[in-house]
Amino acid sequence: MNILNAFIGQAQRRPHAAAIIQLRQDENGLFNEEVRCSYLALLEEARQLAANLQAQVGMQAQVGIVMGNTPEWVLADIALQLADLTEVPVPLAFSGEQAAFLLQNCRLVLTDAAGAQRLAEWQATGTELPSAILPLRLGATPHHAEPARLHPADGAQDGVIKIIHTSGTTSQPKGVMIRRHGLDALVASLWQLAQPDDYQRYLNLVPLSLLIEQVTALYMPLTSGGAVVMPPDDMPPLGHPGVTAVQRLEVIHAARPSAMTLTPALVEALAERAVSHGDRPGLMPALFGREHAPLLAAGGAPVDAEVLQRLNALNIPVYQGYGLSENSSVATWNARGANRIGTVGKPLPHVEVKIADDGELCLRSSSLFAGYSSEDPSSCAIDDEGWLHTGDLATQDADGFISIIGRKKTLIITANGRNISPEWLESAYRTVPGVQQAIVYGDGQQFLGGLFVVDDMREAPAIRQAIAAYARDHLNEIEFIPDPVLVPHSAEIMARLFTVTGRPRRNAVNAFLDQLETVTA
């Protein structure tokens, strides 16, 4: 399967079908939708943009994307593939220094309105960025025949088509080079587990700078004749500082999605809303604006099994998976008919797995990356037999389901010699009422420590009691946190301590605690 050819085929078979649908919110807060682009219009405009890009920068050059979750992102992604150019997405949440690092080899930067504003903010801090910037607006280019000067990419030839930057142990993100055939293999494998109508209306809530969202929001719908449903232009995605999952539940209802990829926080918010609905009829329409639950996938961080069980009992299955950019995103996934809650599913059809003697999960597949454009101590290695050493600790049961139990490099070894993987423990503590996020630490210490982001500091005494009660009822004495540190939820704290996907920035914890102690003193 070739993603680009599959999209072109859909445009030929269903030229007037909606490719991009965008929600609008009126002054009363009500949502309506607008078809922003048909398949044929998107293909024609992408071809013209691709020809213009080739004329400006040639072929196989790097081009940055600094955009929000907008239709212009879709246009840019398709055009860069048509032009055989390497896409370098820049998360808007990154600092100016990080953005400059990502864009240093880019010949051109494509922006939308949100991206142009962010570029201006970075430049105002003295950050030097590429001078060649091209603002895009979908629909601004008249539709004509395919430009004669476009030299379309040869899908039969492999090559690097994206450089995805992920957080490492330093301030400079590591660049993962994604192969054309690697993405093709991944999407083909996902289609072996999905049904043809699953992606007819995919709701895009997660930043498109994440590779998994590019796969599920763009390539799965556009290779099957479906549409990507996008939020209003001025609505920031999940992971943006200050945005909570509960704030996006009304968008889900209005969008009537057939598929979504959820963050752990959004899974928990859906579960709370479902429980509050009680035994009244009409749960699915109340949550999703439709009679049946959409295909819901979750990843990025562990989701508490009790939350998943609660939703599953209401006929709202959430299929948890696991992946990493080095495998072009997804590697294992629970699926219909093979959903074992508490695991991250079985390997995709094109993926082999093995558990090393030290418990590390190793992968071998046709969607592995082409290497790093910038190295980091957290970089994964591929051994002589082609196995990618992920750095994640895992188990595999007799039926082939994988469970992730922690990271080799985040493993906590207490002063008493006990080994603890913090990831699953953090997931457990997040179920305590009033707790939004948790970071567990304590390497070399006698007792574990925990930093808890809470909804309301006025409830701090009650939340402390709830944390202790939960540990007493559900955890062993080693996992008990005797002196939890509580901090209020705020955009500043979330940006400092967590990535846009909700992963803890563990290297930032000590400095944060030191500053907290100084302020308290």
Side-chain angles (χ1 to χ4, degrees):
M1 176 185 189
N2 176 266
I3 293 170
L4 197 54
N5 288 341
F7 163 65
I8 293 172
Q10 292 292 342
Q12 293 170 340
R13 287 187 293 273
R14 307 178 61 208
H16 303 299
I20 303 173
I21 297 172
Q22 188 162 34
L23 298 178
R24 305 289 190 191
Q25 193 171 20
D26 63 24
E27 62 276 6
N28 298 317
L30 300 176
F31 291 94
N32 52 65
E33 63 181 49
E34 172 191 358
V35 175
R36 286 293 309 274
C37 205
S38 68
Y39 270 78
L40 180 60
L42 177 59
L43 177 58
E44 288 185 345
E45 195 159 341
R47 280 173 167 162
Q48 292 177 73
L49 175 58
N52 292 337
L53 294 175
Q54 284 184 348
Q56 284 188 254
V57 302
M59 297 175 68
Q60 299 181 339
Q62 292 184 20
V63 175
I65 293 186
V66 180
M67 296 184 180
N69 279 20
T70 61
E72 284 71 27
W73 181 295
V74 188
L75 171 63
D77 188 280
I78 298 297
L80 290 171
Q81 290 195 52
L82 284 167
D84 197 17
L85 293 166
T86 301
E87 174 183 309
V88 182
V90 180
L92 298 186
F94 273 12
S95 67
E97 179 184 356
Q98 290 172 323
F101 177 74
L102 268 61
L103 295 170
Q104 60 183 325
N105 295 318
C106 291
R107 301 277 301 278
L108 179 69
V109 179
L110 304 179
T111 69
D112 59 4
Q117 178 180 344
R118 193 68 176 121
L119 282 171
E121 292 170 354
W122 289 331
Q123 290 171 325
T125 65
T127 302
E128 293 188 10
L129 298 170
S131 57
I133 297 173
L134 178 62
L136 297 185
R137 186 165 65 84
L138 184 69
T141 305
H143 297 154
H144 302 297
E146 178 180 352
R149 290 180 295 173
L150 173 62
H151 303 285
D154 183 0
Q157 297 294 319
D158 201 4
V160 174
I161 62 170
K162 295 176 187 284
I163 299 178
I164 301 295
H165 288 83
T166 62
S167 299
T169 59
T170 69
S171 62
Q172 294 181 338
K174 59 183 178 183
V176 182
M177 297 191 291
I178 306 298
R179 299 167 31 249
R180 181 189 306 277
H181 288 179
L183 272 181
D184 290 344
L186 174 70
V187 172
S189 191
L190 287 173
W191 273 121
Q192 293 184 51
L193 302 178
Q195 296 178 358
D197 292 336
D198 279 340
Y199 289 87
Q200 288 306 294
R201 289 177 64 92
Y202 181 95
L203 176 59
N204 164 225
L205 291 177
V206 180
L208 281 168
S209 55
L210 300 176
L211 181 58
I212 178 59
E213 192 69 1
Q214 294 167 37
V215 169
T216 54
L218 305 188
Y219 308 141
M220 297 300 284
L222 295 180
T223 58
S224 61
V228 52
V229 182
M230 311 196 82
D233 282 343
D234 58 353
M235 181 173 286
L238 286 170
H240 184 86
V243 176
T244 63
V246 173
Q247 295 171 342
R248 295 296 175 261
L249 294 182
E250 298 309 317
V251 182
I252 293 173
H253 175 266
R256 298 175 287 112
S258 64
M260 286 188 297
T261 297
L262 308 176
T263 62
L266 192 50
V267 176
E268 293 162 6
L270 276 172
E272 291 179 10
R273 181 66 60 89
V275 170
S276 67
H277 188 84
D279 296 330
R280 291 172 292 155
L283 174 61
M284 299 303 176
L287 288 179
F288 306 114
R290 47 185 276 147
E291 292 298 326
H292 303 286
L295 175 65
L296 300 175
V303 181
D304 185 74
E306 289 185 12
V307 175
L308 297 176
Q309 295 282 12
R310 200 179 309 147
L311 285 168
N312 201 57
L314 297 170
N315 294 316
I316 306 175
V318 177
Y319 302 105
Q320 195 163 209
Y322 161 84
L324 65 172
S325 297
E326 286 85 349
N327 191 56
S328 302
S329 69
V330 191
T332 72
W333 193 31
N334 282 289
R336 293 186 185 92
N339 183 23
R340 184 159 296 176
I341 291 175
T343 77
V344 293
K346 295 182 178 182
L348 294 183
H350 75 295
V351 176
E352 299 177 73
V353 302
K354 72 174 183 179
I355 309 297
D357 292 340
D358 61 357
E360 183 178 15
L361 176 65
C362 299
L363 307 175
R364 188 164 61 185
S365 82
S366 53
S367 60
L368 290 181
F369 69 139
Y372 294 102
S373 64
S374 51
E375 290 285 353
D376 182 87
S378 65
S379 297
C380 299
I382 297 180
D383 64 24
D384 293 339
E385 296 180 348
W387 290 101
L388 174 74
H389 292 252
T390 66
D392 290 305
L393 301 172
T395 61
Q396 185 173 28
D397 65 24
D399 296 321
F401 288 89
I402 302 290
S403 296
I404 305 297
I405 59 176
R407 289 281 298 172
K408 286 180 66 174
K409 293 182 180 179
T410 62
L411 189 70
I412 295 171
I413 304 177
T414 69
N416 298 319
R418 304 303 295 267
N419 294 353
I420 299 164
S421 293
E423 288 84 359
W424 78 270
L425 193 54
E426 290 159 350
S427 176
Y429 274 119
R430 280 205 311 270
T431 64
V432 174
V435 174
Q436 280 206 12
Q437 282 285 8
I439 303 179
V440 174
Y441 55 90
D443 194 60
Q445 300 178 13
Q446 186 173 355
F447 302 107
L448 286 182
L451 198 157
F452 294 81
V453 180
V454 302
D455 294 322
D456 188 350
M457 284 296 289
R458 292 172 298 182
E459 301 295 326
I463 294 173
R464 289 180 187 278
Q465 292 179 6
I467 290 170
Y470 179 87
R472 184 174 58 249
D473 295 340
H474 299 282
L475 304 174
N476 63 46
E477 61 182 17
I478 301 167
E479 297 155 350
F480 180 74
I481 295 176
D483 189 20
V485 177
L486 273 56
V487 295
H489 177 272
S490 71
E492 179 185 358
I493 285 175
M494 293 301 293
R496 183 170 176 182
L497 294 177
F498 298 91
T499 69
V500 294
T501 57
R503 292 181 184 270
R505 300 184 189 273
R506 302 189 189 278
N507 290 338
V509 170
N510 287 338
F512 181 84
L513 291 172
D514 289 343
Q515 182 181 8
L516 199 63
E517 288 182 3
T518 301
V519 171
T520 304

